[in-house]
Amino acid sequence: MDMCMIYPNTSKCSVSSMECFTVLSTQAEKISIATLCGLFGTLCILENSLVLYLIFSSSSTRRKPSYLFISSLALADILASIIFVCSFVNFHVFSETDVSKASFLLQLGGVTTSFSASLSSLLLTALDRYISISKPSAYKLLMTRRRAWIALGVLWVTCATIASLPLLGWNCCSLNSTCSELFPFVDANYLSSWVCFILVLLGWIIYAYAHVLWRAHQHVAYMEKHQEQVGKQTSRMRMDVLLAKTLVMVLTVLVLCWSPVLILMIYSIFARLSNPLRKVFAFCSTLCLLNSMVNPIIYALRSKELSSSLRRVFSQFRRQLKASEESPEVESTHQSSVIET
């Protein structure tokens, strides 16, 4: 009988027991996972790298706290793409289960850190917008670059610390406790704690976005009643409405991408997962990668400064390409004139 069926949800920590977690049995499933990871991961790296370039190539954007938070989001998504795709594909597609416990937990810690930092960066972005729309007159005093860097430092240190706990000893092998059915060597209580941490992040994000949307709704109602009196405030209010629509897009994508994974994680804490559900979890995990891929698209399309910087980069690239195409003709004309002389 299969060892995976004999010891369900127990503290079996041998390297051979890792084979129980390779749930993709057919070649079609492995090709599908590899294709999704390769597509989402490549696009995510390219898009977020472009966002980082657009932010730090302009002095006006790299000095603003809001764009510092977006750059943290882009960096976290890049790291998530690289670490997740490499470790996930090696484990599930190529079935490389002969890694040590420390090596596996180190890879899992990298994935956990990057995805946690991605959600935490979204939370800081949401809180930044919350302050800007709640206290617009005091925003520049409250949200300074120094405070933004401190917040980012606390964010990354906290996420890295939480993610490193299994490697430091909070795992079912060291504690001889119940292991998770979804991740090798991971203690079930640690998984529960991490899920609670993510749910708290999502709850704060939803609260901040809901407040921003409510204030945007009030601005729309104000504009409709005082169209002739708003004057210079009209552009600011329209910007808030545009921002609110952006936040709705971000929140919708966030919930759709993370809900399946979190629901299955919560379900695995209270009940045993069947093999089909574990396969579903493997495919749903790629949705977190999809979220990292969609985030820069939303910001590039909805941010006026980033979109204008992107158009400027494309126009410069076209001019350089046109100049490189014309240079051989110019050189040929110059050579022919020399020969005639």
Side-chain angles (χ1 to χ4, degrees):
M1 187 179 294
D2 188 4
M3 182 182 66
C4 305
M5 300 300 295
I6 297 176
Y7 302 106
N9 203 24
T10 60
S11 56
K12 291 295 175 180
C13 293
S14 62
V15 174
S16 60
S17 67
M18 292 183 64
E19 298 178 359
C20 302
F21 295 87
T22 56
V23 296
L24 303 181
S25 55
T26 65
Q27 193 68 18
E29 294 173 348
K30 294 182 179 181
I31 293 175
S32 300
I33 283 289
T35 302
L36 290 175
C37 289
L39 178 62
F40 293 162
T42 303
L43 291 177
C44 182
I45 293 173
L46 293 176
E47 292 168 359
N48 284 286
S49 298
L50 179 60
V51 170
L52 287 177
Y53 172 78
L54 294 176
I55 291 175
F56 287 98
S57 62
S58 173
S59 59
S60 62
T61 55
R62 65 170 176 261
R63 294 178 180 176
K64 294 182 178 179
S66 57
Y67 286 104
L68 290 178
F69 299 146
I70 295 177
S71 63
S72 174
L73 173 64
L75 177 61
D77 288 338
I78 290 175
L79 294 178
S81 302
I82 296 174
I83 303 175
F84 176 83
V85 170
C86 293
S87 59
F88 196 78
V89 171
N90 286 336
F91 187 80
H92 285 287
V93 178
F94 298 107
S95 300
E96 293 187 4
T97 59
D98 56 344
V99 297
S100 63
K101 181 189 73 173
S103 177
F104 179 83
L105 291 178
L106 180 62
Q107 295 177 22
L108 184 62
V111 174
T112 306
T113 299
S114 52
F115 278 127
S116 300
S118 178
L119 289 179
S120 300
S121 298
L122 279 177
L123 175 60
L124 289 183
T125 303
L127 293 177
D128 176 73
R129 295 298 90 197
Y130 175 88
I131 296 174
S132 67
I133 201 170
S134 300
K135 301 178 180 179
S137 59
Y139 171 76
K140 291 185 178 181
L141 295 177
L142 295 175
M143 190 58 66
T144 61
R145 291 186 74 247
R146 182 175 178 272
R147 291 181 178 179
W149 281 112
I150 292 175
L152 290 176
V154 172
L155 179 157
W156 282 92
V157 170
T158 301
C159 293
T161 301
I162 294 175
S164 63
L165 291 178
L167 186 62
L168 297 176
W170 191 358
N171 56 75
C172 57
C173 302
S174 301
L175 301 176
N176 196 26
S177 57
T178 302
C179 294
S180 167
E181 291 186 0
L182 295 175
F183 307 100
F185 312 123
V186 174
D187 181 71
N189 291 328
Y190 171 80
L191 181 61
S192 303
S193 302
W194 186 80
V195 170
C196 292
F197 171 68
I198 297 300
L199 290 176
V200 169
L201 289 179
L202 291 175
W204 279 106
I205 292 173
I206 292 174
Y207 173 80
Y209 284 176
H211 181 83
V212 171
L213 293 176
W214 172 247
R215 293 300 298 267
H217 173 72
Q218 291 179 327
H219 285 175
V220 171
Y222 181 84
M223 285 189 295
E224 291 178 352
K225 293 181 179 180
H226 306 84
Q227 289 183 354
E228 297 180 356
Q229 301 177 9
V230 291
K232 296 182 180 179
Q233 295 182 358
T234 303
S235 59
R236 173 61 185 272
M237 292 180 180
R238 288 178 179 174
M239 182 183 66
D240 291 334
V241 174
L242 181 64
L243 173 64
K245 294 179 180 179
T246 301
L247 297 183
V248 169
M249 295 172 61
V250 173
L251 184 59
T252 302
V253 172
L254 185 69
V255 172
L256 291 178
C257 291
W258 279 89
S259 292
V261 171
L262 292 176
I263 290 174
L264 288 174
M265 284 184 180
I266 296 173
Y267 181 78
S268 70
I269 295 172
F270 300 100
R272 184 186 173 191
L273 292 176
S274 62
N275 283 336
L277 280 180
R278 293 166 69 188
K279 289 183 180 181
V280 170
F281 178 80
F283 279 92
C284 289
S285 298
T286 60
L287 293 177
C288 301
L289 193 61
L290 176 64
N291 179 55
S292 299
M293 186 196 74
V294 173
N295 281 335
I297 297 178
I298 296 175
Y299 291 123
L301 292 177
R302 309 295 292 186
S303 173
K304 184 177 179 181
E305 290 178 287
L306 289 184
S307 59
S308 61
S309 298
L310 183 61
R311 287 193 297 269
R312 184 172 61 254
V313 169
F314 281 154
S315 62
Q316 291 176 354
F317 176 76
R318 284 196 300 265
R319 285 196 299 267
Q320 293 177 357
L321 184 62
K322 186 178 180 180
S324 62
E325 292 176 351
E326 292 178 352
S327 58
E329 299 178 359
V330 174
E331 183 178 357
S332 176
T333 304
H334 176 72
Q335 290 178 352
S336 61
S337 61
V338 171
I339 293 174
E340 292 176 358
T341 305

